[in-house]
Amino acid sequence: MSKIVISINAAWNIVNFRLGLIRALREAGHEVIALAPPDRHSARLQALGIPYVPIAMDKKGLSPLGDLRLLVRYWRILRRLRPDVFLGYTAKPNIYGSLAAEALGIRVINNVSGLGTAFIRMGLLTRVVSTLYRIAFRRSETIFFQNEEDRDLFIGEKLVNPRQARLLPGSGIDLERFRPVPNEPEKEGFVFLLIARLLWDKGVGEYVEAARRVRAALPGARFQLLGFLDAENRTAVPRTTVEAWVEEGIVDYLGEAEDVRPFIAAADCVVLPSYREGLPRTLLEAAAMAKPLIATDVPGCRHAVEAGVNGLLCPARDAEGLAAAMMEMIRAPGRLRAQWGGAGRARVERAFDEKIVAALYLKAIEEASA
């Protein structure tokens, strides 16, 4: 069996999105070590019996010297741990962790879970990041993508070899943990919920503007935001802006939560007006709980939402279009919304079960170790 290092840019990401995979790897006999910057979730990894190694990382920094230091940190840590396989997620672990692992002769499997700001706002940064990906991925055994558009973009730009690229149905959903719950008694006002890091690229601005438009027609409608404020990201929404929205009475900011299920259960519809995604886990979790969805018609989101089947799609960066979809959702008969929710649950069961993801990883590890 193999010693595996899994590296992501935040311990919270491992705790919230990768525990099912780690459990499957350990049940298959592999040793798994988590490598990520420390945060308040680091202790949770240790409490779960998962060996954890901290690594300092400036997630939004663009300093070449800072990134060179990160590369050296990865090289030193991986030289000490000597894993058989390195699993990389998110940009900097994928780039600098992979480069260090390859220099040490460690097999590499990458996961491009989304392309982020560099590929949403095209420019010099896009060219720099593309070059780094091309160099870092040249010797990777497998590179998982979460939608066809991201995979085809990387192949078309010659950032990866087609033989390396495979599709993965997101990070996988625990269908026992995320399951439908009985509806609450009738409550006042239709409740929309957006779960995301509070970034402009997640469409938070359009969500708030759409809320203004909908509430002008239906003052009882409610709009909730759940997710990290003060994210280390160049497109982070300032805390003062969110506080102003709350003061205006347009949205309710719910903070951040270890467990999103009670908030999904209390919502009538979950919304994600993002500009681009890999495969948005929040939408899949909500679908698994049989909630109807609204999302933008962009890569990733349209893989989670099939218009007229489990929810509605609207144009990206278009508050008016989002408001129209919200009004359509409110006015839809309850039985139709329930039908959309049921179709979403069936879709997640069929295509997005975390057991499917674990099986694909186990196969890739086995092939890499052959």
Side-chain angles (χ1 to χ4, degrees):
M1 293 294 103
S2 300
K3 179 190 284 189
I4 298 169
V5 164
I6 179 169
S7 187
I8 308 180
N9 67 4
W12 74 262
N13 189 309
I14 300 176
V15 169
N16 284 288
F17 302 152
R18 315 296 166 187
L19 289 184
L21 173 61
I22 291 174
R23 183 166 53 247
L25 294 176
R26 294 173 75 175
E27 288 173 355
H30 298 294
E31 178 185 355
V32 182
I33 301 169
L35 175 58
D39 57 32
R40 60 189 179 85
H41 293 79
S42 307
R44 175 89 187 280
L45 290 170
Q46 295 168 316
L48 291 168
I50 300 168
Y52 165 72
V53 177
I55 182 169
M57 184 185 303
D58 182 357
K59 288 172 276 190
K60 66 176 180 178
L62 300 174
S63 163
L65 182 58
D67 287 347
L68 178 60
R69 290 183 182 133
L70 177 61
L71 175 60
V72 172
R73 286 188 207 109
Y74 265 114
W75 186 84
R76 287 175 175 167
I77 292 171
L78 293 176
R79 183 182 62 171
R80 173 167 55 86
L81 296 175
R82 282 292 174 184
D84 301 293
V85 180
F86 175 84
L87 303 184
Y89 297 78
T90 63
K92 293 201 174 186
N94 264 336
I95 292 170
Y96 301 107
S98 297
L99 288 171
E102 290 162 359
L104 292 164
I106 299 164
R107 298 175 183 89
V108 175
I109 296 172
N110 301 103
N111 185 315
V112 180
S113 55
L115 299 189
T117 301
F119 287 85
I120 293 173
R121 303 167 188 273
M122 307 295 280
L124 176 61
L125 178 61
T126 310
R127 293 194 291 274
V128 171
V129 172
S130 294
T131 299
L132 289 170
Y133 273 130
R134 185 179 294 112
I135 296 168
F137 285 175
R138 60 187 172 181
R139 290 203 295 269
S140 295
E141 302 286 338
T142 298
I143 302 158
F144 285 119
F145 294 88
Q146 299 194 0
N147 64 65
E148 293 89 346
E149 288 95 335
D150 290 354
R151 178 200 60 190
D152 293 347
L153 187 154
F154 269 55
I155 291 174
E157 295 295 322
K158 297 186 175 9
L159 306 185
V160 301
N161 189 304
R163 67 170 178 77
Q164 298 170 295
R166 300 184 188 180
L167 287 174
L168 192 74
S171 53
I173 302 299
D174 183 340
L175 294 174
E176 288 302 312
R177 189 163 184 264
F178 289 90
R179 57 187 306 113
V181 297
N183 289 332
E184 292 183 350
E186 286 296 319
K187 55 185 180 297
E188 184 179 348
F190 194 96
V191 178
F192 291 99
L193 173 65
L194 190 161
I195 308 171
R197 290 178 298 156
L198 298 193
L199 310 178
W200 295 115
D201 287 349
K202 296 294 184 183
V204 175
E206 288 83 358
Y207 179 76
V208 173
E209 180 55 34
R212 287 194 182 98
R213 293 169 183 256
V214 173
R215 292 195 58 165
L218 297 171
R222 295 163 55 198
F223 298 85
Q224 299 177 337
L225 287 170
L226 176 66
F228 291 131
L229 257 179
D230 306 319
E232 292 185 46
N233 188 290
R234 289 178 296 283
T235 72
V237 179
R239 179 176 289 272
T240 53
T241 300
V242 177
E243 291 171 347
W245 290 336
V246 173
E247 181 68 22
E248 185 184 350
I250 295 299
V251 298
D252 298 316
Y253 175 56
L254 307 176
E256 50 189 87
E258 298 282 343
D259 186 355
V260 299
R261 290 174 298 171
F263 301 96
I264 295 174
D268 295 296
C269 174
V270 173
V271 183
L272 183 61
S274 180
Y275 299 169
R276 186 178 188 123
E277 293 286 324
L279 188 56
R281 184 182 178 92
T282 55
L283 291 181
L284 296 180
E285 289 173 344
M289 295 184 68
K291 295 295 178 178
L293 310 174
I294 295 176
T296 39
D297 189 6
V298 299
C301 288
R302 59 173 165 255
H303 293 76
V305 181
E306 188 174 353
V309 175
N310 66 327
L312 302 171
L313 291 172
C314 63
R317 306 172 191 258
D318 183 351
E320 183 177 355
L322 176 57
M326 289 173 165
M327 291 297 292
E328 183 178 349
M329 181 65 68
I330 292 172
R331 290 168 175 162
R335 58 178 174 74
L336 179 57
R337 292 197 299 267
Q339 180 181 316
W340 288 343
R345 171 69 188 189
R347 200 162 180 265
V348 174
E349 290 175 342
R350 183 173 62 253
F352 301 107
D353 188 337
E354 67 179 4
K355 294 175 183 176
I356 300 172
V357 173
L360 290 168
Y361 261 102
L362 287 167
K363 180 181 179 184
I365 291 166
E366 181 181 352
E367 292 173 353
S369 303

